[in-house]
Amino acid sequence: MEERIRELEEALRALGLRLSRLEGREAAPEPQASPPKMRISVPPETKMAPPKRDSALGMSKLLAVVSVICFVLAATFIVKLAVDSGWLTLERQWGLLVLFGAGLSAAGRYLPFVDKLYRSYLSASGLVVFFIAAYSSSLYFNLCSQDTSLIFGMIATILGLSMFKYHESEIFPIVSVVGTYLSVVLLNHNNMGYYFLTGFFLLWASVFSWFSTHFRSRTVNLVATYHGLGVFTFLTMGETNKENVLLGLVILTLQFVIFTWGVAFYSIKNKVTLTKAETWSYFPALCFYYGIMYFFINVLSPSLAPWIGLGMALSFLLAYESIKKRLQNMDAEASKSMVYAFFALVIFQAGYLQLLPGSAKPWLLPLFILLNYISEQKKDFPRVSMAFRILGFVIGGIEFLNLLVELVQSTNRDASIVAIVTLGLGLFYYLSVGKLTQAREKSYLSLVHVLAVLALYRICYEYGSLAVSVAWALYAAFILGLGYKRQDRNLVTSSLVVLFFASGKALIYDGSGAPTSVRIGSLIFTGILLFGTGVLFRKMQTWPVKED
């Protein structure tokens, strides 16, 4: 009831104010704060907010794209008219298709009252129609030879590149690149001749690289790189003639050099280095080129393939260093990580997997531990990039797993020697407080103990199962003593697993089949070891806690 009374009072007050304004007897007072909950008042008039400009632009682009699809579909139906209708000759139908493309291009160039960016969609659809007309002239209309269709396609490419100068939209050179390389896939490339194909790809690699630099468009070079290398590989992959394989390898390499020089010359001329995103966008193309090159070389000479691969990676690295010097004070570090990542990848594939003898591979694990220790102790030790550090971890992990498998399955003493050397260096690195062990001490010690257990198993296996248990117990006792001396909780705690495993094996498995005297000695030794461990743990409670 009280609420209703307040609402009526508010309504009457508002009505009185309106009457006073109409009669002009008093000025309108400041409006009072309205009470909470519902009230009777006349809301002010509100205006519809205009749509956001971003959403309007997005909608206009969507409409333009749909219109381009409609125009292209219309062009394809003109081609279809060659079959469904006979009221035009084939020549006139093809001419109508060309005129349709020309009309779209002209509308995009000269249409008034429409901004240039939006008109560019019309020109882009006209360019697509030109390419359709070029290839359908022989494939569908049978008006000319496929060589002539290829020439028509090249003319369409030149028109597309020239459209970029006016519209300044990268869609035109991208369509030109795709249309150009698509021509040798659609047309019968087998009749073109191998030498014609090589000239075709070298020509357009040069044109697109020059265009990318002159008109400041890295996207054109990137798209051309993938299409040039990919399409050429697709056309020549099944080649068996060694002369043609060698020629294909040369052309593929020359294309790669042209595209690479295009990237470098762009940076030198325009004083703009690659961004991180642009750099890594070339990494798949680089790896693809290396893989195809390695495949071709392996066909010609399998023994030379790894060496040529390493030489190629080294040349690429030296070229990067040379270009970086020419850039002078400009920051080229964005490309460094990609270049060194590629170099590390080649070293792994060609050096580690192909060239390095199998007997030398296990020694890489202790070598990496030693080099890492030296690099941490000496400030003037050469520093390697992150890519090579990751490579070291990968190879070290592979060799560690291979070593464990070798210790379990093989009686080869070389594996035991490598394991003992690795174990000694691993413990030494931990005791010297190596940087790699500070964040993952428990995980690191677990790996060390696993290696120790398997190494002692392989060394003592021929002396009997009990000898293995004793060796494990002695190792655990050594780790316990070392941990007590250094007051290292992690070192002491990590040895418990080895200790309990050795004790359980000695009591349950070894003691059951051993003579009584051996069984008594095993029990006494195990009891002393366990009791001493308990005493050590009691004293460990007084040790200072290590801060992270």
Side-chain angles (χ1 to χ4, degrees), residues 503-521:
S503 301
K505 180 176 178 298
L507 291 174
I508 299 173
Y509 181 78
D510 299 325
S512 61
T516 304
S517 58
V518 175
R519 195 179 302 177
I520 294 172

Side-chain angles (χ1 to χ4, degrees), residues 100-369:
F100 182 59
L104 290 174
S105 301
R109 179 68 170 81
Y110 300 107
L111 188 66
F113 309 116
V114 180
D115 61 277
K116 185 169 65 174
L117 177 62
Y118 200 69
R119 281 188 279 122
S120 65
Y121 289 95
L122 292 175
S123 296
S125 59
L127 180 60
V128 175
V129 173
F130 277 140
F131 276 109
I132 294 175
Y135 303 140
S136 65
S137 61
S138 63
L139 294 177
Y140 205 84
F141 291 100
N142 295 319
L143 299 177
C144 58
S145 66
Q146 294 193 4
D147 292 341
T148 305
S149 288
L150 185 64
I151 295 175
F152 287 159
M154 296 171 69
I155 295 174
T157 300
I158 296 173
L159 288 175
L161 297 179
S162 63
M163 289 179 183
F164 173 81
K165 186 176 181 180
Y166 173 75
H167 291 286
E168 298 179 350
S169 174
E170 289 185 334
I171 186 63
F172 295 98
I174 290 175
V175 171
S176 300
V177 170
V178 176
T180 299
Y181 288 111
L182 191 61
S183 63
V184 290
V185 177
L186 295 177
L187 303 177
N188 190 359
H189 61 276
N190 293 323
N191 294 334
M192 296 179 184
Y194 204 80
Y195 288 96
F196 175 82
L197 281 179
T198 57
F200 176 87
F201 280 93
L202 290 181
L203 170 65
W204 287 113
S206 303
V207 170
F208 291 134
S209 295
W210 171 85
F211 184 90
S212 173
T213 302
H214 188 73
F215 291 97
R216 300 173 66 92
S217 174
R218 289 199 187 274
T219 305
V220 175
N221 183 279
L222 179 65
V223 175
T225 299
Y226 279 98
H227 281 79
L229 299 179
V231 173
F232 185 82
T233 302
F234 171 76
L235 297 178
T236 59
M237 181 62 75
E239 186 63 50
T240 56
N241 186 299
K242 287 196 172 183
E243 292 184 0
N244 288 341
V245 171
L246 180 59
L247 178 61
L249 178 62
V250 171
I251 299 305
L252 192 69
T253 302
L254 288 176
Q255 279 194 90
F256 178 77
V257 171
I258 292 172
F259 287 128
T260 303
W261 176 245
V263 175
F265 189 64
Y266 182 103
S267 299
I268 295 172
K269 180 180 179 180
N270 299 316
K271 305 299 182 182
V272 179
T273 58
L274 287 166
T275 64
K276 188 175 182 180
E278 291 172 340
T279 298
W280 285 102
S281 64
Y282 280 96
F283 187 71
L286 186 59
C287 295
F288 175 78
Y289 164 72
Y290 173 75
I292 296 302
M293 184 206 70
Y294 196 92
F295 172 81
F296 281 138
I297 297 176
N298 197 56
V299 172
L300 298 174
S301 178
S303 60
L304 290 178
W307 294 106
I308 295 177
L310 289 174
M312 175 258 182
L314 182 60
S315 301
F316 189 72
L317 179 62
L318 294 177
Y320 162 75
E321 295 294 339
S322 175
I323 294 170
K324 188 171 69 172
K325 290 180 180 179
R326 294 191 63 178
L327 293 176
Q328 297 176 352
N329 296 328
M330 298 181 64
D331 184 16
E333 291 300 314
S335 305
K336 181 178 180 180
S337 57
M338 189 273 283
V339 173
Y340 279 90
F342 173 71
F343 193 54
L345 182 65
V346 175
I347 289 178
F348 177 79
Q349 188 273 330
Y352 171 70
L353 295 180
Q354 299 294 327
L355 294 177
L356 191 65
S359 58
K361 291 180 180 179
W363 291 102
L364 291 176
L365 179 58
L367 178 63
F368 288 156
I369 297 175

Side-chain angles (χ1 to χ4, degrees), residues 80-114:
K80 187 175 182 296
L81 194 63
V83 176
D84 296 341
S85 177
W87 59 277
L88 281 177
T89 64
L90 293 179
E91 292 82 358
R92 291 176 180 177
Q93 292 172 20
W94 183 78
L96 183 62
L97 183 62
V98 174
L99 289 176
F100 182 59
L104 290 174
S105 301
R109 179 68 170 81
Y110 300 107
L111 188 66
F113 309 116
V114 180

Side-chain angles (χ1 to χ4, degrees), residues 65-81 97 100 104 125 128-129 132:
V65 171
V66 175
S67 67
V68 169
I69 296 175
C70 293
F71 292 141
V72 174
L73 287 176
T76 58
F77 280 113
I78 291 176
V79 177
K80 187 175 182 296
L81 194 63
L97 183 62
F100 182 59
L104 290 174
S125 59
V128 175
V129 173
I132 294 175

